[in-house]
Amino acid sequence: MKHFRRLSIIFTLMVLSSAICRAGDSIHVQNIHEMFDAKTLKTVSPYKVGVTDFVTYTITGANKNSKFGVYGEVICICLPDNGDFVTTTKITNLKRVQTLYEPADKDYLNGAYPTMQILFSKDSVDWSDLASIATHSKASADVTLPSAGDYFVRVKNTGSSKPIYIRVMEYATQHCNCFRYQP
């Protein structure tokens, strides 16, 4: 009977600890065109701010074409000029960001002169460029952060003649109440 009680206590602790320290990823797909059509993306005139249930996007650029606009009949985030960027509000427990963009034949992250920066910030003041650790393929950039945390995200056009049109932003957030060891 003593062994049964001990096993029962161990089993209960295992169940409780797995409920408390359960880590898992949630994927948040932000397809700009689909969200605009479904009215789950609300834009503020002159189409520089877009609000969703998950995040708010703010587009900054001197050109009037830096905005939520149309490229190839698809509504997207338009960053046509060098210096244009889009910034999100803070995303809790962010682990990974994937950006799908057009035109697909451009190489924005590689080569002698990269023309896209993917920046992260904890306070929206000091920004770190993590494009160098991005996994890049035609029409996408995927960045896994060194550690999950609360971050603002910024995608910036740094090319003088390569416009960027973002179709989809996908975010992976990690939910964990686990003890984080920091040496």
Side-chain angles (χ1 to χ4, degrees):
M1 188 68 168
K2 213 177 210 181
H3 293 292
F4 177 73
R5 185 173 180 177
R6 192 174 294 159
L7 286 174
S8 176
I9 291 171
I10 290 171
F11 178 74
T12 303
L13 288 173
M14 287 172 52
V15 169
L16 288 174
S17 65
S18 67
I20 292 170
C21 289
R22 194 167 144 215
D25 292 349
S26 296
I27 305 298
H28 309 274
V29 178
Q30 302 272 286
N31 183 312
I32 304 303
H33 185 84
E34 289 177 4
M35 293 175 70
F36 190 83
D37 280 352
K39 299 191 184 343
T40 56
L41 167 68
K42 306 216 183 327
T43 57
V44 179
S45 205
Y47 304 106
K48 298 263 188 188
V49 176
V51 180
T52 73
D53 289 343
F54 180 69
V55 70
T56 297
Y57 298 95
T58 303
I59 301 170
T60 304
N63 186 325
K64 68 178 182 175
N65 293 323
S66 307
K67 63 181 180 180
F68 287 92
V70 177
Y71 176 79
E73 300 181 14
V74 175
I75 297 168
C76 55
I77 297 170
C78 301
L79 306 174
D81 294 324
N82 184 11
D84 295 347
F85 58 88
V86 60
T87 306
T88 69
T89 48
K90 187 179 282 189
I91 301 170
T92 305
N93 296 319
L94 184 64
K95 180 179 176 183
R96 183 181 63 80
V97 175
Q98 183 177 33
T99 304
L100 303 177
Y101 54 79
E102 296 290 341
D105 62 337
K106 302 287 186 186
D107 188 356
Y108 292 102
L109 295 176
N110 297 319
Y113 303 101
T115 58
M116 175 193 286
Q117 286 183 319
I118 303 169
L119 305 151
F120 295 87
S121 174
K122 290 218 173 250
D123 59 9
S124 80
V125 175
D126 297 316
W127 293 89
S128 298
D129 183 1
L130 297 182
S132 64
I133 64 168
T135 303
H136 183 257
S137 62
K138 280 193 171 183
S140 74
D142 193 346
V143 178
T144 299
L145 294 155
S147 64
D150 301 345
Y151 295 100
F152 295 86
V153 178
R154 178 175 285 170
V155 178
K156 184 176 183 180
N157 182 342
T158 59
S160 59
S161 63
K162 291 186 177 181
I164 300 170
Y165 303 99
I166 300 171
R167 296 182 295 111
V168 177
M169 295 289 289
E170 182 178 299
Y171 308 95
T173 57
Q174 183 178 57
H175 300 287
C176 178
N177 295 325
C178 303
F179 171 74
R180 290 186 184 174
Y181 171 74
Q182 293 186 356

mmCIF file with all atom_site columns, all heavy atoms in Angstrom, residues 36-62:
data_model
loop_
_atom_site.group_PDB
_atom_site.id
_atom_site.type_symbol
_atom_site.label_atom_id
_atom_site.label_alt_id
_atom_site.label_comp_id
_atom_site.label_asym_id
_atom_site.label_entity_id
_atom_site.label_seq_id
_atom_site.pdbx_PDB_ins_code
_atom_site.Cartn_x
_atom_site.Cartn_y
_atom_site.Cartn_z
_atom_site.occupancy
_atom_site.B_iso_or_equiv
_atom_site.pdbx_formal_charge
_atom_site.auth_seq_id
_atom_site.auth_comp_id
_atom_site.auth_asym_id
_atom_site.auth_atom_id
_atom_site.pdbx_PDB_model_num
ATOM 1   N N   . PHE A 1 36 ? -7.061  41.649 -44.932 1.00 0.00 ? 36 PHE A N   1
ATOM 2   C CA  . PHE A 1 36 ? -7.712  42.869 -45.410 1.00 0.00 ? 36 PHE A CA  1
ATOM 3   C C   . PHE A 1 36 ? -9.088  42.539 -45.969 1.00 0.00 ? 36 PHE A C   1
ATOM 4   O O   . PHE A 1 36 ? -10.068 43.205 -45.657 1.00 0.00 ? 36 PHE A O   1
ATOM 5   C CB  . PHE A 1 36 ? -6.837  43.551 -46.471 1.00 0.00 ? 36 PHE A CB  1
ATOM 6   C CG  . PHE A 1 36 ? -7.305  44.923 -46.860 1.00 0.00 ? 36 PHE A CG  1
ATOM 7   C CD1 . PHE A 1 36 ? -6.960  46.021 -46.077 1.00 0.00 ? 36 PHE A CD1 1
ATOM 8   C CD2 . PHE A 1 36 ? -8.083  45.126 -47.976 1.00 0.00 ? 36 PHE A CD2 1
ATOM 9   C CE1 . PHE A 1 36 ? -7.385  47.297 -46.415 1.00 0.00 ? 36 PHE A CE1 1
ATOM 10  C CE2 . PHE A 1 36 ? -8.524  46.388 -48.327 1.00 0.00 ? 36 PHE A CE2 1
ATOM 11  C CZ  . PHE A 1 36 ? -8.172  47.482 -47.546 1.00 0.00 ? 36 PHE A CZ  1
ATOM 12  N N   . ASP A 1 37 ? -9.167  41.463 -46.787 1.00 0.00 ? 37 ASP A N   1
ATOM 13  C CA  . ASP A 1 37 ? -10.461 41.047 -47.345 1.00 0.00 ? 37 ASP A CA  1
ATOM 14  C C   . ASP A 1 37 ? -11.446 40.622 -46.264 1.00 0.00 ? 37 ASP A C   1
ATOM 15  O O   . ASP A 1 37 ? -12.634 40.902 -46.355 1.00 0.00 ? 37 ASP A O   1
ATOM 16  C CB  . ASP A 1 37 ? -10.270 39.895 -48.341 1.00 0.00 ? 37 ASP A CB  1
ATOM 17  C CG  . ASP A 1 37 ? -9.807  40.378 -49.706 1.00 0.00 ? 37 ASP A CG  1
ATOM 18  O OD1 . ASP A 1 37 ? -9.771  41.600 -49.944 1.00 0.00 ? 37 ASP A OD1 1
ATOM 19  O OD2 . ASP A 1 37 ? -9.453  39.518 -50.541 1.00 0.00 ? 37 ASP A OD2 1
ATOM 20  N N   . ALA A 1 38 ? -10.950 39.939 -45.237 1.00 0.00 ? 38 ALA A N   1
ATOM 21  C CA  . ALA A 1 38 ? -11.819 39.447 -44.162 1.00 0.00 ? 38 ALA A CA  1
ATOM 22  C C   . ALA A 1 38 ? -12.113 40.529 -43.121 1.00 0.00 ? 38 ALA A C   1
ATOM 23  O O   . ALA A 1 38 ? -12.827 40.284 -42.157 1.00 0.00 ? 38 ALA A O   1
ATOM 24  C CB  . ALA A 1 38 ? -11.171 38.249 -43.481 1.00 0.00 ? 38 ALA A CB  1
ATOM 25  N N   . LYS A 1 39 ? -11.529 41.696 -43.319 1.00 0.00 ? 39 LYS A N   1
ATOM 26  C CA  . LYS A 1 39 ? -11.687 42.827 -42.395 1.00 0.00 ? 39 LYS A CA  1
ATOM 27  C C   . LYS A 1 39 ? -11.145 42.535 -40.991 1.00 0.00 ? 39 LYS A C   1
ATOM 28  O O   . LYS A 1 39 ? -11.612 43.088 -40.010 1.00 0.00 ? 39 LYS A O   1
ATOM 29  C CB  . LYS A 1 39 ? -13.138 43.291 -42.349 1.00 0.00 ? 39 LYS A CB  1
ATOM 30  C CG  . LYS A 1 39 ? -13.628 43.778 -43.702 1.00 0.00 ? 39 LYS A CG  1
ATOM 31  C CD  . LYS A 1 39 ? -14.952 44.464 -43.617 1.00 0.00 ? 39 LYS A CD  1
ATOM 32  C CE  . LYS A 1 39 ? -15.534 44.895 -44.929 1.00 0.00 ? 39 LYS A CE  1
ATOM 33  N NZ  . LYS A 1 39 ? -14.801 45.001 -46.093 1.00 0.00 ? 39 LYS A NZ  1
ATOM 34  N N   . THR A 1 40 ? -10.158 41.634 -40.916 1.00 0.00 ? 40 THR A N   1
ATOM 35  C CA  . THR A 1 40 ? -9.471  41.385 -39.645 1.00 0.00 ? 40 THR A CA  1
ATOM 36  C C   . THR A 1 40 ? -8.186  42.206 -39.567 1.00 0.00 ? 40 THR A C   1
ATOM 37  O O   . THR A 1 40 ? -7.496  42.165 -38.561 1.00 0.00 ? 40 THR A O   1
ATOM 38  C CB  . THR A 1 40 ? -9.155  39.890 -39.454 1.00 0.00 ? 40 THR A CB  1
ATOM 39  O OG1 . THR A 1 40 ? -8.399  39.417 -40.561 1.00 0.00 ? 40 THR A OG1 1
ATOM 40  C CG2 . THR A 1 40 ? -10.444 39.085 -39.315 1.00 0.00 ? 40 THR A CG2 1
ATOM 41  N N   . LEU A 1 41 ? -7.883  42.926 -40.652 1.00 0.00 ? 41 LEU A N   1
ATOM 42  C CA  . LEU A 1 41 ? -6.821  43.924 -40.680 1.00 0.00 ? 41 LEU A CA  1
ATOM 43  C C   . LEU A 1 41 ? -7.504  45.245 -40.972 1.00 0.00 ? 41 LEU A C   1
ATOM 44  O O   . LEU A 1 41 ? -8.114  45.417 -42.021 1.00 0.00 ? 41 LEU A O   1
ATOM 45  C CB  . LEU A 1 41 ? -5.790  43.619 -41.772 1.00 0.00 ? 41 LEU A CB  1
ATOM 46  C CG  . LEU A 1 41 ? -4.805  44.741 -42.103 1.00 0.00 ? 41 LEU A CG  1
ATOM 47  C CD1 . LEU A 1 41 ? -3.856  44.992 -40.940 1.00 0.00 ? 41 LEU A CD1 1
ATOM 48  C CD2 . LEU A 1 41 ? -4.015  44.408 -43.358 1.00 0.00 ? 41 LEU A CD2 1
ATOM 49  N N   . LYS A 1 42 ? -7.428  46.139 -40.009 1.00 0.00 ? 42 LYS A N   1
ATOM 50  C CA  . LYS A 1 42 ? -8.045  47.457 -40.176 1.00 0.00 ? 42 LYS A CA  1
ATOM 51  C C   . LYS A 1 42 ? -6.936  48.471 -40.387 1.00 0.00 ? 42 LYS A C   1
ATOM 52  O O   . LYS A 1 42 ? -6.013  48.567 -39.591 1.00 0.00 ? 42 LYS A O   1
ATOM 53  C CB  . LYS A 1 42 ? -8.866  47.798 -38.944 1.00 0.00 ? 42 LYS A CB  1
ATOM 54  C CG  . LYS A 1 42 ? -9.881  46.702 -38.629 1.00 0.00 ? 42 LYS A CG  1
ATOM 55  C CD  . LYS A 1 42 ? -11.151 47.232 -38.092 1.00 0.00 ? 42 LYS A CD  1
ATOM 56  C CE  . LYS A 1 42 ? -12.159 46.205 -37.688 1.00 0.00 ? 42 LYS A CE  1
ATOM 57  N NZ  . LYS A 1 42 ? -12.293 44.995 -38.335 1.00 0.00 ? 42 LYS A NZ  1
ATOM 58  N N   . THR A 1 43 ? -7.025  49.211 -41.488 1.00 0.00 ? 43 THR A N   1
ATOM 59  C CA  . THR A 1 43 ? -6.003  50.208 -41.786 1.00 0.00 ? 43 THR A CA  1
ATOM 60  C C   . THR A 1 43 ? -6.522  51.596 -41.476 1.00 0.00 ? 43 THR A C   1
ATOM 61  O O   . THR A 1 43 ? -7.716  51.860 -41.529 1.00 0.00 ? 43 THR A O   1
ATOM 62  C CB  . THR A 1 43 ? -5.563  50.141 -43.254 1.00 0.00 ? 43 THR A CB  1
ATOM 63  O OG1 . THR A 1 43 ? -6.703  50.320 -44.082 1.00 0.00 ? 43 THR A OG1 1
ATOM 64  C CG2 . THR A 1 43 ? -4.896  48.822 -43.568 1.00 0.00 ? 43 THR A CG2 1
ATOM 65  N N   . VAL A 1 44 ? -5.585  52.459 -41.133 1.00 0.00 ? 44 VAL A N   1
ATOM 66  C CA  . VAL A 1 44 ? -5.911  53.856 -40.836 1.00 0.00 ? 44 VAL A CA  1
ATOM 67  C C   . VAL A 1 44 ? -5.334  54.693 -41.968 1.00 0.00 ? 44 VAL A C   1
ATOM 68  O O   . VAL A 1 44 ? -4.167  54.531 -42.342 1.00 0.00 ? 44 VAL A O   1
ATOM 69  C CB  . VAL A 1 44 ? -5.305  54.273 -39.475 1.00 0.00 ? 44 VAL A CB  1
ATOM 70  C CG1 . VAL A 1 44 ? -5.608  55.721 -39.180 1.00 0.00 ? 44 VAL A CG1 1
ATOM 71  C CG2 . VAL A 1 44 ? -5.817  53.367 -38.366 1.00 0.00 ? 44 VAL A CG2 1
ATOM 72  N N   . SER A 1 45 ? -6.156  55.572 -42.534 1.00 0.00 ? 45 SER A N   1
ATOM 73  C CA  . SER A 1 45 ? -5.727  56.408 -43.635 1.00 0.00 ? 45 SER A CA  1
ATOM 74  C C   . SER A 1 45 ? -4.571  57.286 -43.187 1.00 0.00 ? 45 SER A C   1
ATOM 75  O O   . SER A 1 45 ? -4.574  57.771 -42.058 1.00 0.00 ? 45 SER A O   1
ATOM 76  C CB  . SER A 1 45 ? -6.900  57.269 -44.101 1.00 0.00 ? 45 SER A CB  1
ATOM 77  O OG  . SER A 1 45 ? -6.728  57.636 -45.425 1.00 0.00 ? 45 SER A OG  1
ATOM 78  N N   . PRO A 1 46 ? -3.555  57.464 -43.926 1.00 0.00 ? 46 PRO A N   1
ATOM 79  C CA  . PRO A 1 46 ? -3.313  57.103 -45.327 1.00 0.00 ? 46 PRO A CA  1
ATOM 80  C C   . PRO A 1 46 ? -2.678  55.718 -45.488 1.00 0.00 ? 46 PRO A C   1
ATOM 81  O O   . PRO A 1 46 ? -1.707  55.569 -46.208 1.00 0.00 ? 46 PRO A O   1
ATOM 82  C CB  . PRO A 1 46 ? -2.397  58.204 -45.832 1.00 0.00 ? 46 PRO A CB  1
ATOM 83  C CG  . PRO A 1 46 ? -1.561  58.550 -44.624 1.00 0.00 ? 46 PRO A CG  1
ATOM 84  C CD  . PRO A 1 46 ? -2.465  58.344 -43.436 1.00 0.00 ? 46 PRO A CD  1
ATOM 85  N N   . TYR A 1 47 ? -3.231  54.731 -44.837 1.00 0.00 ? 47 TYR A N   1
ATOM 86  C CA  . TYR A 1 47 ? -2.812  53.335 -44.963 1.00 0.00 ? 47 TYR A CA  1
ATOM 87  C C   . TYR A 1 47 ? -1.385  53.078 -44.468 1.00 0.00 ? 47 TYR A C   1
ATOM 88  O O   . TYR A 1 47 ? -0.675  52.250 -44.993 1.00 0.00 ? 47 TYR A O   1
ATOM 89  C CB  . TYR A 1 47 ? -2.971  52.846 -46.402 1.00 0.00 ? 47 TYR A CB  1
ATOM 90  C CG  . TYR A 1 47 ? -4.372  53.019 -46.903 1.00 0.00 ? 47 TYR A CG  1
ATOM 91  C CD1 . TYR A 1 47 ? -4.681  54.018 -47.827 1.00 0.00 ? 47 TYR A CD1 1
ATOM 92  C CD2 . TYR A 1 47 ? -5.402  52.213 -46.430 1.00 0.00 ? 47 TYR A CD2 1
ATOM 93  C CE1 . TYR A 1 47 ? -5.984  54.196 -48.274 1.00 0.00 ? 47 TYR A CE1 1
ATOM 94  C CE2 . TYR A 1 47 ? -6.708  52.393 -46.869 1.00 0.00 ? 47 TYR A CE2 1
ATOM 95  C CZ  . TYR A 1 47 ? -6.982  53.385 -47.786 1.00 0.00 ? 47 TYR A CZ  1
ATOM 96  O OH  . TYR A 1 47 ? -8.278  53.562 -48.214 1.00 0.00 ? 47 TYR A OH  1
ATOM 97  N N   . LYS A 1 48 ? -0.996  53.797 -43.420 1.00 0.00 ? 48 LYS A N   1
ATOM 98  C CA  . LYS A 1 48 ? 0.334   53.615 -42.831 1.00 0.00 ? 48 LYS A CA  1
ATOM 99  C C   . LYS A 1 48 ? 0.283   52.772 -41.553 1.00 0.00 ? 48 LYS A C   1
ATOM 100 O O   . LYS A 1 48 ? 1.317   52.324 -41.071 1.00 0.00 ? 48 LYS A O   1
ATOM 101 C CB  . LYS A 1 48 ? 0.970   54.973 -42.497 1.00 0.00 ? 48 LYS A CB  1
ATOM 102 C CG  . LYS A 1 48 ? 1.191   55.862 -43.705 1.00 0.00 ? 48 LYS A CG  1
ATOM 103 C CD  . LYS A 1 48 ? 2.584   55.745 -44.198 1.00 0.00 ? 48 LYS A CD  1
ATOM 104 C CE  . LYS A 1 48 ? 2.869   56.765 -45.282 1.00 0.00 ? 48 LYS A CE  1
ATOM 105 N NZ  . LYS A 1 48 ? 4.156   56.556 -45.893 1.00 0.00 ? 48 LYS A NZ  1
ATOM 106 N N   . VAL A 1 49 ? -0.909  52.569 -41.000 1.00 0.00 ? 49 VAL A N   1
ATOM 107 C CA  . VAL A 1 49 ? -1.076  51.787 -39.774 1.00 0.00 ? 49 VAL A CA  1
ATOM 108 C C   . VAL A 1 49 ? -2.109  50.696 -40.046 1.00 0.00 ? 49 VAL A C   1
ATOM 109 O O   . VAL A 1 49 ? -3.164  50.961 -40.618 1.00 0.00 ? 49 VAL A O   1
ATOM 110 C CB  . VAL A 1 49 ? -1.530  52.673 -38.585 1.00 0.00 ? 49 VAL A CB  1
ATOM 111 C CG1 . VAL A 1 49 ? -1.797  51.836 -37.346 1.00 0.00 ? 49 VAL A CG1 1
ATOM 112 C CG2 . VAL A 1 49 ? -0.499  53.757 -38.297 1.00 0.00 ? 49 VAL A CG2 1
ATOM 113 N N   . GLY A 1 50 ? -1.775  49.479 -39.628 1.00 0.00 ? 50 GLY A N   1
ATOM 114 C CA  . GLY A 1 50 ? -2.689  48.354 -39.765 1.00 0.00 ? 50 GLY A CA  1
ATOM 115 C C   . GLY A 1 50 ? -2.825  47.642 -38.432 1.00 0.00 ? 50 GLY A C   1
ATOM 116 O O   . GLY A 1 50 ? -1.826  47.320 -37.791 1.00 0.00 ? 50 GLY A O   1
ATOM 117 N N   . VAL A 1 51 ? -4.057  47.414 -38.016 1.00 0.00 ? 51 VAL A N   1
ATOM 118 C CA  . VAL A 1 51 ? -4.328  46.820 -36.708 1.00 0.00 ? 51 VAL A CA  1
ATOM 119 C C   . VAL A 1 51 ? -4.982  45.455 -36.902 1.00 0.00 ? 51 VAL A C   1
ATOM 120 O O   . VAL A 1 51 ? -5.957  45.330 -37.637 1.00 0.00 ? 51 VAL A O   1
ATOM 121 C CB  . VAL A 1 51 ? -5.256  47.745 -35.873 1.00 0.00 ? 51 VAL A CB  1
ATOM 122 C CG1 . VAL A 1 51 ? -5.547  47.135 -34.515 1.00 0.00 ? 51 VAL A CG1 1
ATOM 123 C CG2 . VAL A 1 51 ? -4.654  49.134 -35.735 1.00 0.00 ? 51 VAL A CG2 1
ATOM 124 N N   . THR A 1 52 ? -4.409  44.442 -36.226 1.00 0.00 ? 52 THR A N   1
ATOM 125 C CA  . THR A 1 52 ? -4.996  43.102 -36.199 1.00 0.00 ? 52 THR A CA  1
ATOM 126 C C   . THR A 1 52 ? -5.241  42.732 -34.738 1.00 0.00 ? 52 THR A C   1
ATOM 127 O O   . THR A 1 52 ? -4.829  43.461 -33.834 1.00 0.00 ? 52 THR A O   1
ATOM 128 C CB  . THR A 1 52 ? -4.066  42.049 -36.847 1.00 0.00 ? 52 THR A CB  1
ATOM 129 O OG1 . THR A 1 52 ? -2.973  41.784 -35.971 1.00 0.00 ? 52 THR A OG1 1
ATOM 130 C CG2 . THR A 1 52 ? -3.540  42.509 -38.198 1.00 0.00 ? 52 THR A CG2 1
ATOM 131 N N   . ASP A 1 53 ? -5.859  41.593 -34.521 1.00 0.00 ? 53 ASP A N   1
ATOM 132 C CA  . ASP A 1 53 ? -6.053  41.120 -33.147 1.00 0.00 ? 53 ASP A CA  1
ATOM 133 C C   . ASP A 1 53 ? -4.728  40.744 -32.491 1.00 0.00 ? 53 ASP A C   1
ATOM 134 O O   . ASP A 1 53 ? -4.621  40.741 -31.275 1.00 0.00 ? 53 ASP A O   1
ATOM 135 C CB  . ASP A 1 53 ? -6.979  39.902 -33.122 1.00 0.00 ? 53 ASP A CB  1
ATOM 136 C CG  . ASP A 1 53 ? -8.421  40.268 -33.429 1.00 0.00 ? 53 ASP A CG  1
ATOM 137 O OD1 . ASP A 1 53 ? -8.764  41.461 -33.351 1.00 0.00 ? 53 ASP A OD1 1
ATOM 138 O OD2 . ASP A 1 53 ? -9.201  39.351 -33.760 1.00 0.00 ? 53 ASP A OD2 1
ATOM 139 N N   . PHE A 1 54 ? -3.721  40.421 -33.290 1.00 0.00 ? 54 PHE A N   1
ATOM 140 C CA  . PHE A 1 54 ? -2.450  39.953 -32.757 1.00 0.00 ? 54 PHE A CA  1
ATOM 141 C C   . PHE A 1 54 ? -1.414  41.065 -32.611 1.00 0.00 ? 54 PHE A C   1
ATOM 142 O O   . PHE A 1 54 ? -0.682  41.106 -31.621 1.00 0.00 ? 54 PHE A O   1
ATOM 143 C CB  . PHE A 1 54 ? -1.902  38.845 -33.662 1.00 0.00 ? 54 PHE A CB  1
ATOM 144 C CG  . PHE A 1 54 ? -0.587  38.294 -33.213 1.00 0.00 ? 54 PHE A CG  1
ATOM 145 C CD1 . PHE A 1 54 ? -0.487  37.535 -32.054 1.00 0.00 ? 54 PHE A CD1 1
ATOM 146 C CD2 . PHE A 1 54 ? 0.572   38.539 -33.938 1.00 0.00 ? 54 PHE A CD2 1
ATOM 147 C CE1 . PHE A 1 54 ? 0.734   37.028 -31.638 1.00 0.00 ? 54 PHE A CE1 1
ATOM 148 C CE2 . PHE A 1 54 ? 1.790   38.037 -33.530 1.00 0.00 ? 54 PHE A CE2 1
ATOM 149 C CZ  . PHE A 1 54 ? 1.871   37.283 -32.379 1.00 0.00 ? 54 PHE A CZ  1
ATOM 150 N N   . VAL A 1 55 ? -1.340  41.941 -33.597 1.00 0.00 ? 55 VAL A N   1
ATOM 151 C CA  . VAL A 1 55 ? -0.273  42.942 -33.627 1.00 0.00 ? 55 VAL A CA  1
ATOM 152 C C   . VAL A 1 55 ? -0.733  44.167 -34.412 1.00 0.00 ? 55 VAL A C   1
ATOM 153 O O   . VAL A 1 55 ? -1.646  44.082 -35.222 1.00 0.00 ? 55 VAL A O   1
ATOM 154 C CB  . VAL A 1 55 ? 1.013   42.327 -34.252 1.00 0.00 ? 55 VAL A CB  1
ATOM 155 C CG1 . VAL A 1 55 ? 0.842   42.076 -35.726 1.00 0.00 ? 55 VAL A CG1 1
ATOM 156 C CG2 . VAL A 1 55 ? 2.228   43.159 -33.989 1.00 0.00 ? 55 VAL A CG2 1
ATOM 157 N N   . THR A 1 56 ? -0.076  45.301 -34.170 1.00 0.00 ? 56 THR A N   1
ATOM 158 C CA  . THR A 1 56 ? -0.297  46.507 -34.960 1.00 0.00 ? 56 THR A CA  1
ATOM 159 C C   . THR A 1 56 ? 0.968   46.786 -35.758 1.00 0.00 ? 56 THR A C   1
ATOM 160 O O   . THR A 1 56 ? 2.071   46.719 -35.223 1.00 0.00 ? 56 THR A O   1
ATOM 161 C CB  . THR A 1 56 ? -0.626  47.714 -34.055 1.00 0.00 ? 56 THR A CB  1
ATOM 162 O OG1 . THR A 1 56 ? -1.854  47.438 -33.374 1.00 0.00 ? 56 THR A OG1 1
ATOM 163 C CG2 . THR A 1 56 ? -0.783  48.990 -34.858 1.00 0.00 ? 56 THR A CG2 1
ATOM 164 N N   . TYR A 1 57 ? 0.789   47.096 -37.037 1.00 0.00 ? 57 TYR A N   1
ATOM 165 C CA  . TYR A 1 57 ? 1.897   47.419 -37.934 1.00 0.00 ? 57 TYR A CA  1
ATOM 166 C C   . TYR A 1 57 ? 1.898   48.922 -38.179 1.00 0.00 ? 57 TYR A C   1
ATOM 167 O O   . TYR A 1 57 ? 0.851   49.504 -38.447 1.00 0.00 ? 57 TYR A O   1
ATOM 168 C CB  . TYR A 1 57 ? 1.729   46.719 -39.287 1.00 0.00 ? 57 TYR A CB  1
ATOM 169 C CG  . TYR A 1 57 ? 1.731   45.225 -39.211 1.00 0.00 ? 57 TYR A CG  1
ATOM 170 C CD1 . TYR A 1 57 ? 0.554   44.496 -39.136 1.00 0.00 ? 57 TYR A CD1 1
ATOM 171 C CD2 . TYR A 1 57 ? 2.932   44.522 -39.223 1.00 0.00 ? 57 TYR A CD2 1
ATOM 172 C CE1 . TYR A 1 57 ? 0.561   43.115 -39.083 1.00 0.00 ? 57 TYR A CE1 1
ATOM 173 C CE2 . TYR A 1 57 ? 2.946   43.139 -39.159 1.00 0.00 ? 57 TYR A CE2 1
ATOM 174 C CZ  . TYR A 1 57 ? 1.760   42.447 -39.089 1.00 0.00 ? 57 TYR A CZ  1
ATOM 175 O OH  . TYR A 1 57 ? 1.776   41.075 -39.025 1.00 0.00 ? 57 TYR A OH  1
ATOM 176 N N   . THR A 1 58 ? 3.081   49.526 -38.129 1.00 0.00 ? 58 THR A N   1
ATOM 177 C CA  . THR A 1 58 ? 3.230   50.937 -38.474 1.00 0.00 ? 58 THR A CA  1
ATOM 178 C C   . THR A 1 58 ? 4.293   51.036 -39.558 1.00 0.00 ? 58 THR A C   1
ATOM 179 O O   . THR A 1 58 ? 5.431   50.597 -39.362 1.00 0.00 ? 58 THR A O   1
ATOM 180 C CB  . THR A 1 58 ? 3.642   51.776 -37.250 1.00 0.00 ? 58 THR A CB  1
ATOM 181 O OG1 . THR A 1 58 ? 2.657   51.589 -36.224 1.00 0.00 ? 58 THR A OG1 1
ATOM 182 C CG2 . THR A 1 58 ? 3.739   53.246 -37.603 1.00 0.00 ? 58 THR A CG2 1
ATOM 183 N N   . ILE A 1 59 ? 3.909   51.612 -40.697 1.00 0.00 ? 59 ILE A N   1
ATOM 184 C CA  . ILE A 1 59 ? 4.818   51.753 -41.839 1.00 0.00 ? 59 ILE A CA  1
ATOM 185 C C   . ILE A 1 59 ? 5.364   53.170 -41.839 1.00 0.00 ? 59 ILE A C   1
ATOM 186 O O   . ILE A 1 59 ? 4.610   54.138 -41.737 1.00 0.00 ? 59 ILE A O   1
ATOM 187 C CB  . ILE A 1 59 ? 4.085   51.444 -43.154 1.00 0.00 ? 59 ILE A CB  1
ATOM 188 C CG1 . ILE A 1 59 ? 3.538   50.014 -43.112 1.00 0.00 ? 59 ILE A CG1 1
ATOM 189 C CG2 . ILE A 1 59 ? 5.001   51.662 -44.354 1.00 0.00 ? 59 ILE A CG2 1
ATOM 190 C CD1 . ILE A 1 59 ? 2.596   49.672 -44.242 1.00 0.00 ? 59 ILE A CD1 1
ATOM 191 N N   . THR A 1 60 ? 6.689   53.266 -41.968 1.00 0.00 ? 60 THR A N   1
ATOM 192 C CA  . THR A 1 60 ? 7.353   54.559 -41.972 1.00 0.00 ? 60 THR A CA  1
ATOM 193 C C   . THR A 1 60 ? 8.146   54.691 -43.268 1.00 0.00 ? 60 THR A C   1
ATOM 194 O O   . THR A 1 60 ? 8.898   53.794 -43.636 1.00 0.00 ? 60 THR A O   1
ATOM 195 C CB  . THR A 1 60 ? 8.307   54.689 -40.770 1.00 0.00 ? 60 THR A CB  1
ATOM 196 O OG1 . THR A 1 60 ? 7.552   54.462 -39.571 1.00 0.00 ? 60 THR A OG1 1
ATOM 197 C CG2 . THR A 1 60 ? 8.952   56.053 -40.715 1.00 0.00 ? 60 THR A CG2 1
ATOM 198 N N   . GLY A 1 61 ? 7.955   55.815 -43.937 1.00 0.00 ? 61 GLY A N   1
ATOM 199 C CA  . GLY A 1 61 ? 8.689   56.092 -45.165 1.00 0.00 ? 61 GLY A CA  1
ATOM 200 C C   . GLY A 1 61 ? 8.277   57.439 -45.719 1.00 0.00 ? 61 GLY A C   1
ATOM 201 O O   . GLY A 1 61 ? 7.143   57.880 -45.533 1.00 0.00 ? 61 GLY A O   1
ATOM 202 N N   . ALA A 1 62 ? 9.205   58.091 -46.369 1.00 0.00 ? 62 ALA A N   1
ATOM 203 C CA  . ALA A 1 62 ? 8.933   59.424 -46.913 1.00 0.00 ? 62 ALA A CA  1
ATOM 204 C C   . ALA A 1 62 ? 8.029   59.371 -48.139 1.00 0.00 ? 62 ALA A C   1
ATOM 205 O O   . ALA A 1 62 ? 7.273   60.303 -48.408 1.00 0.00 ? 62 ALA A O   1
ATOM 206 C CB  . ALA A 1 62 ? 10.254  60.113 -47.266 1.00 0.00 ? 62 ALA A CB  1
#
